[in-house]
């Protein structure tokens, strides 16, 4: 991180941890520690934390872990004063898997997204960043 001298760090976590059935409290504690350590190394870096995308266990069971992680990531982001992008919500939330499958943006495993799905995620992130920047400019001009 020091060598990169990054202005922005985008963190996308949660999917793999959910398949280890990591408790949300443990996941959030680790994320909190990670953010704290990043700020020690680079106190000026802007951090964007992404919620994990929706997925299923064994192609048929709702992944409630990512739903819980997403809610708690949003709460932590407010507390730690970092930006958050709700990929979970943007991809249809807990019940978005079937429409994602029909649209061809998630693979047959209902975990990994297709090329088109990852492109959609990239476009959604770019759009969210641009909208946040436009809102920032508006609020700055209104002061």
């Amino acid at each position: 991180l020091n060598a990169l001298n990054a202005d922005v760090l985008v963190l996308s976590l949660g999917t793999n941890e959910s398949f280890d059935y990591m408790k949300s409290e443990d996941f959030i504690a680790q994320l909190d520690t990670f953010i704290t350590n990043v700020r020690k190394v680079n106190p000026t870096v802007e951090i964007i934390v992404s919620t994990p995308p929706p997925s299923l266990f064994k192609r048929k069971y709702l992944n409630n872990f990512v739903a819980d992680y997403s809610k708690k990531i949003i709460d932590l982001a407010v507390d730690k004063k970092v930006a958050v992008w709700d990929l979970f919500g943007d991809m249809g939330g807990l019940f978005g898997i079937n429409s994602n499958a029909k649209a061809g943006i998630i693979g047959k495993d209902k975990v990994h997204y297709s090329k088109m799905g990852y492109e959609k995620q990239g476009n959604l992130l770019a759009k969210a960043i641009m909208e946040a920047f436009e809102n920032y400019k508006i609020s700055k001009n209104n002061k």
Side-chain angles (χ1 to χ4, degrees), residues 24 44 56 59 62-63 92 99 103 141:
S24 61
T44 62
L56 295 181
R59 289 182 236 156
L62 293 174
N63 186 342
S99 60
N141 289 335

Side-chain angles (χ1 to χ4, degrees), residues 10-143:
V10 180
L11 301 173
S12 180
L13 305 168
T15 304
N16 290 341
E17 292 79 8
S18 73
F19 281 84
D20 288 339
Y21 306 106
M22 182 183 282
K23 294 178 189 174
S24 61
E25 294 78 18
D26 295 336
F27 173 79
I28 292 301
Q30 289 183 17
L31 179 58
D32 186 17
T33 299
F34 185 83
I35 291 169
T36 299
N37 289 337
V38 165
R39 287 195 166 144
K40 285 179 185 174
V41 173
N42 186 343
T44 62
V45 70
E46 295 297 334
I47 301 172
I48 302 171
V49 181
S50 171
T51 61
S55 61
L56 295 181
F57 290 121
K58 298 182 181 179
R59 289 182 236 156
K60 59 183 174 181
Y61 302 109
L62 293 174
N63 186 342
N64 291 303
F65 283 89
V66 292
D68 195 31
Y69 294 170
S70 295
K71 181 188 177 312
K72 291 189 168 120
I73 286 170
I74 292 167
D75 293 342
L76 180 69
V78 170
D79 184 52
K80 298 295 279 188
K81 294 181 176 43
V82 299
V84 65
W85 172 47
D86 187 14
L87 174 60
F88 182 79
D90 280 355
M91 297 301 284
L94 195 57
F95 301 101
I97 296 294
N98 289 334
S99 60
N100 291 343
K102 286 178 186 167
I105 62 173
I106 192 167
K108 290 180 182 179
D109 65 359
K110 304 293 189 337
V111 175
H112 298 97
Y113 284 75
S114 66
K115 178 181 184 282
M116 188 170 48
Y118 288 117
E119 287 172 350
K120 178 178 180 169
Q121 290 177 23
N123 289 332
L124 288 169
L125 176 58
K127 180 181 175 196
I129 290 170
M130 292 308 297
E131 286 175 358
F133 181 65
E134 290 301 319
N135 288 337
Y136 165 76
K137 289 191 317 188
I138 292 167
S139 68
K140 186 177 175 184
N141 289 335
N142 288 335
K143 287 185 179 183

